[in-house]
Every structure is written in C-alpha cells, then in structure tokens.
Amino acid sequence: DQQVKQNSPSLSVQEGRISILNCDYTNSMFDYFLWYKKYPAEGPTFLISISSIKDKNEDGRFTVFLNKSAKHLSLHIVPSQPGDSAVYFCAARPNFGNEKLTFGTGTRLTIIP
Amino acid sequence: ETGVTQSPTHLIKTRGQQVTLRCSSQSGHNTVSWYQQALGQGPQFIFQYYREEENGRGNFPPRFSGLQFPNYSSELNVNALELDDSALYLCASSFPRQGVNTEAFFGQGTRLTVV
C-alpha cells in the first residue's frame, strides 16, 4: 500500500521555466511533509518542508504548496537551473517527534539548457 | 560540524552471508534511522534507534537487526542475505525535540549487492 505517491517518474523542463513536482498521500495521520533531492551516488538532501497548519512555504526558488483536503502537495522550482537536475522525493510523517519518514517513489527532474 | 557518514560505500556479498553496515550520526544528533532503497523505489523505513534503544520498526524480518552505541553511531546487521536484499542502505540522523518539527539528515548510503 503506497501511502505517498509520486505519479510522474520523470519530468523535463527548459532552463529558466517553472518545474512543478506533485505528490499525493493517503494517510490522514501525516502532518509534516518534506522534499528531498538526490543526486546519483549521494544520499538524499533536505530541501524544504511544510507543516499541515500551513498551505504554503517558500525558500528562495523553492515553494511547497499543501492542499490538505485533497491530500496533495506540490513543489515549485522557479526559475529552474541545470543544477536542479536530480531525483526528488516527497516524504511524510506525523507531526513532532516521530521521525519515521514514508517516502514516495521519486520524480527524476531533468533541466534542459 | 561533521555530517552523517556511512561505511563502506560499496559491498558485494554472497547469498546466505551476513553483513554489517556502519553509520556515524551528525554531531549532536541522538536518533538514527535506517532505510532501504531498492532500485527505482523510494527509501523504505527499516528501524530507528533513539538513545541506544530501538524506537520503531518497519516491515522488515528479524534478520535485519541493529545497534546504537553511546556515541550515537549505529550498525545495521543483516543475516542470511537474500538476492532481494541488494539495495542502497541509507542512514539518517536527527535530533527530535518535543513540539518542534525537525528534518533528518542522510548519509551517502552503502550500496549492497548480493550475488
């Protein structure tokens, strides 16, 4: 049972344009959501997070939107840069203290120069 | 401040053997979690250690076991290796605090191949 789903295995975006990565979840206990970025031969690197008390969190070029009623979140990267080419994982867990993360299967983002 | 380090980076074992993977947590972090990432999948939670005690376990058989040491470093042991155990094993450390959301920091992983 895949509780966190990333339905797009891959995405290609022109440099300078907006990249939108989507994630859906089914577990109502999830209250805290994170995006990780992974380059080949490296571990996942934390990118940005959002708590269920918010519907938007922004950090520089990265913005995460959360729609609790739809159990959907998205990561927007604008403008996209070649260094953003990586696999992006959406992860979720209950709020506070419980550090077990449930991950999606990832979306491979390729930025075309 | 040192990050999360894992050793070895790559390992090849034969089916039926036993393996030990090691993880040094980030300075100041008292919680270590282990994940298995199979090819084309997201990381799957194996178990977590908090102050040397197991603090949660995913859907993995008992032949997956672990330890956490007083310095908060950790080991993952897998007995009776199977071909399906071939994967990237990731260690993540964190410092959970009551009422505060914190993120986990990952090491670079150990690529285990079982032949």
Side-chain angles (χ1 to χ4, degrees):
Chain A
D1 174 33
Q2 194 72 25
Q3 297 185 55
V4 177
K5 300 177 186 179
Q6 294 177 257
N7 291 319
S8 299
S10 63
L11 177 67
S12 293
V13 174
Q14 206 76 31
E15 181 180 358
R17 306 294 286 268
I18 184 171
S19 296
I20 300 176
L21 295 92
N22 293 303
C23 178
D24 298 290
Y25 63 98
T26 57
N27 191 333
S28 300
M29 298 297 291
F30 290 151
D31 280 303
Y32 186 57
F33 305 89
L34 307 90
W35 285 94
Y36 283 84
K37 173 180 176 179
K38 188 178 183 303
Y39 293 119
E42 294 184 14
T45 302
F46 171 73
L47 202 54
I48 192 169
S49 63
I50 188 166
S51 172
S52 58
I53 60 173
K54 295 185 174 182
D55 55 18
K56 176 182 173 181
N57 189 27
E58 194 171 350
D59 183 1
R61 297 186 298 114
F62 303 92
T63 303
V64 56
F65 295 92
L66 175 62
N67 182 333
K68 272 199 75 175
S69 60
K71 293 190 173 67
H72 176 83
L73 61 155
S74 60
L75 173 68
H76 292 210
I77 306 172
V78 55
S80 299
Q81 299 175 355
D84 296 330
S85 294
V87 178
Y88 289 78
F89 290 99
C90 171
R93 64 168 171 81
N95 255 336
F96 309 138
N98 182 339
E99 300 293 315
K100 171 196 168 183
L101 294 169
T102 301
F103 283 84
T105 51
T107 296
R108 180 177 301 279
L109 176 65
T110 302
I111 305 302
I112 305 163
Chain B
E1 183 180 279
T2 56
V4 180
T5 57
Q6 293 185 241
S7 62
T9 54
H10 295 84
L11 201 51
I12 299 175
K13 288 286 191 177
T14 303
R15 189 171 48 182
Q17 284 188 314
Q18 178 265 345
V19 69
T20 298
L21 310 182
R22 294 179 175 84
C23 172
S24 292
S25 60
Q26 184 162 315
S27 177
H29 286 187
N30 58 12
T31 300
V32 171
S33 302
W34 286 92
Y35 292 82
Q36 180 196 66
Q37 186 183 5
L39 204 60
Q41 301 296 315
Q44 299 287 316
F45 176 75
I46 303 175
F47 44 56
Q48 179 185 94
Y49 279 84
Y50 170 68
R51 293 187 174 180
E52 303 177 59
E53 297 285 331
E54 187 178 290
N55 182 41
R57 187 178 183 93
N59 189 24
F60 281 81
R63 58 189 185 84
F64 285 78
S65 62
L67 280 174
Q68 188 179 32
F69 300 99
N71 66 354
Y72 302 131
S73 66
S74 178
E75 284 183 356
L76 164 65
N77 298 291
V78 187
N79 292 323
L81 282 167
E82 301 177 0
L83 297 179
D84 284 350
D85 295 333
S86 296
L88 179 68
Y89 288 85
L90 294 162
C91 168
S93 76
S94 58
F95 183 60
R97 284 164 283 175
Q98 192 69 25
V100 177
N101 275 314
T102 57
E103 62 269 15
F105 292 86
F106 284 82
Q108 82 282 11
T110 294
R111 171 73 60 189
L112 172 65
T113 303
V114 182
V115 297

